[in-house]
Amino acid sequence: MEQTLSNFLSDDLRLNLSMEKTRVTHIDDGFDFLGFHVKRNMGQTGMKTKVLISEKSLDKHLKKIQETTSKDTHEDSVTTKFKALNRIIAGWCRYFQYTSKASTQ
């Protein structure tokens, strides 16, 4: 299966896979891609594909906020900290605005 897919991508589409980074999986198992976690599961009206924020991205975002507000930055003005937080949070919201649970995550 993987070899067939690899041949199709390289021969027909002229794309090369990095076997260290590439993993073929079923969408029911879910996968992470560019900070998103994509998974299909049963909803109230049938099977639904959900695009969520991955745990790794959430942890990275919270760490960045903690670094910005840490005691090590005591010399920075409050205005500078608020501007930095505003940029971090606004960028986060714009990037993940189209997830399935944007308001709750």
Side-chain angles (χ1 to χ4, degrees):
M1 173 70 174
E2 289 182 33
Q3 189 60 39
T4 305
L5 179 60
S6 179
N7 290 339
F8 169 74
L9 290 173
S10 64
D11 297 341
D12 297 349
L13 302 179
R14 296 186 181 148
L15 298 172
N16 294 322
L17 291 178
S18 170
M19 295 315 288
E20 298 85 38
K21 296 179 184 179
T22 304
R23 181 177 62 134
V24 177
T25 183
H26 195 278
I27 194 164
D28 289 349
D29 299 331
F31 62 92
D32 289 343
F33 183 70
L34 296 176
F36 295 94
H37 182 74
V38 181
K39 186 172 184 176
R40 185 175 72 172
N41 57 11
M42 184 61 76
Q44 292 177 342
T45 59
M47 294 299 277
K48 299 279 184 182
T49 301
K50 296 193 178 198
V51 179
L52 305 169
I53 301 169
S54 71
E55 289 295 322
K56 185 178 176 182
S57 292
L58 185 58
D59 292 342
K60 184 177 176 182
H61 178 66
L62 293 176
K63 184 178 178 187
K64 188 180 287 189
I65 289 175
Q66 288 173 344
E67 289 172 357
T68 305
T69 58
S70 72
K71 292 180 180 181
D72 296 339
T73 62
H74 69 278
E75 294 179 4
D76 296 341
S77 70
V78 174
T79 304
T80 303
K81 285 186 182 187
F82 274 116
K83 285 181 180 180
L85 285 172
N86 192 29
R87 282 193 308 271
I88 292 167
I89 294 170
W92 168 267
C93 291
R94 279 192 301 275
Y95 187 75
F96 290 109
Q97 66 183 333
Y98 298 111
T99 60
S100 299
K101 295 183 179 181
S103 61
T104 57
Q105 281 192 291

